[in-house]
Amino acid sequence: MIPSKDPSTAVPAAQTVAELLTSQIIDQLDLGAQLPSEAELATRFEVSRVTVREALKLLAGQGLVSLSRGRRATITQPDGAMFGAFLRSLIHSDPRAVFDLSQVRRSLEVQAVTLACRNASRSGLDGMEAALAAMRETARAMPEDRADDERGRAFDRADVKFHQAIALAGGNRVLVFLFEVMESALLEGFERSRRGHVRSREMLLAACDDHGVVLDHVRTRDERAAADAVLALIARSEANLRAAVGVT
């Protein structure tokens, strides 16, 4: 029995129920499956329905279940929004944290592009090509005589989509999830990188060419060259970040 009658223990009891339910979800239940009713769960764990309700709210906050009035909780695919928000908040409060993310990104990017070289289908290559085309289109729309922050942000979004497309082409679902989680943090890092220099149309088009090199190596299945090319992209991004935050 999980104690829950004393108000001072209500939150710990809800946390305990949430942990037990999490284990059940991971070990036994599939996406889209419904949990038992609040009444059934309360009986199973010998707690009040209020405690069960709080436990379900905790799971919903973690993205494990969806809740709707009058329906049982349903198992959902976590979208990583909470962890992504944490990463973005960390970078926003401590600009140097973006270098920690960059270190992690190096390993993930190399693994992703290596798998893409091995596994990319025609549709996977199409996804990379579409993201690169969006980058080029945005770059060409940049005024020649000045930077445009809005177009710069659009370019960065297309840039992130390119790297997500690499992960998708590789076929590893965990990597795809991690790239989705990193999206908002990477955009925050790109935002800070822009402060280190003014990006012209010429610079953005050159960046497109560099990304095109990565795509070419994936097409030819050259794992080593693709890894070197993607690491070169990250190195240039880090250099811009160092200029932006004044780190040598």
Side-chain angles (χ1 to χ4, degrees):
M1 177 177 179
I2 300 172
S4 62
K5 293 183 179 181
D6 182 348
S8 66
T9 64
V11 173
Q15 290 174 340
T16 301
V17 171
E19 290 170 2
L20 293 171
L21 286 172
T22 297
S23 296
Q24 182 182 357
I25 289 169
I26 293 173
D27 295 338
Q28 303 173 23
L29 300 177
D30 297 323
L31 294 178
Q34 289 187 326
L35 291 179
S37 68
E38 289 182 1
E40 291 175 282
L41 291 173
T43 299
R44 177 186 301 179
F45 295 115
E46 299 184 60
V47 297
S48 69
R49 292 181 65 173
V50 171
T51 298
V52 170
R53 197 169 297 128
E54 290 302 312
L56 292 175
K57 288 179 181 178
L58 290 173
L59 295 182
Q62 296 169 18
L64 289 176
V65 302
S66 63
L67 302 176
S68 58
R69 185 179 297 276
R71 299 185 61 184
R72 297 182 181 185
T74 303
I75 310 303
T76 58
Q77 174 77 48
D79 62 5
M82 291 184 65
F83 187 54
F86 163 75
L87 287 177
R88 185 171 183 177
S89 175
L90 182 64
I91 292 172
H92 186 74
S93 61
D94 179 8
R96 293 173 184 266
V98 74
F99 296 108
D100 295 333
L101 177 62
S102 186
Q103 288 178 345
V104 173
R105 186 186 170 201
R106 283 174 174 269
S107 298
L108 295 179
E109 291 275 10
V110 168
Q111 184 65 26
V113 81
T114 299
L115 290 174
C117 287
R118 297 175 186 175
N119 304 324
S121 63
R122 180 64 257 176
S123 62
L125 292 172
D126 287 345
M128 295 175 63
E129 290 168 358
L132 181 56
M135 291 174 65
R136 290 192 188 281
E137 181 180 356
T138 306
R140 293 187 182 110
M142 179 73 77
E144 289 190 51
D145 57 342
R146 61 183 175 83
D148 183 307
D149 286 344
E150 184 56 38
R151 286 186 173 87
R153 283 187 285 270
F155 183 88
D156 291 339
R157 288 192 294 270
D159 189 342
V160 170
K161 295 301 180 187
F162 178 85
H163 292 275
Q164 289 176 343
I166 293 175
L168 281 167
N172 185 299
R173 290 177 295 176
V174 174
L175 272 176
V176 171
F177 177 76
L178 291 174
F179 273 82
E180 290 175 351
V181 166
M182 291 192 301
E183 179 174 357
S184 62
L186 288 175
L187 290 172
E188 178 73 19
F190 289 157
E191 176 76 24
R192 292 185 177 277
S193 174
R194 282 201 300 274
R195 301 172 191 172
H197 64 287
V198 176
R199 296 191 300 178
S200 64
R201 179 194 298 180
E202 182 180 356
M203 292 178 65
L204 294 185
L205 287 173
C208 291
D209 291 340
D210 293 337
H211 284 71
V213 171
V214 176
L215 176 55
D216 288 341
H217 291 316
V218 174
R219 284 198 191 99
T220 59
R221 313 291 180 178
D222 191 333
E223 296 178 18
R224 179 61 181 272
D228 288 344
V230 82
L231 286 174
L233 291 178
I234 297 173
R236 280 189 283 277
S237 178
E238 286 181 346
N240 293 332
L241 283 167
R242 292 183 186 281
V245 301
V247 175
T248 57

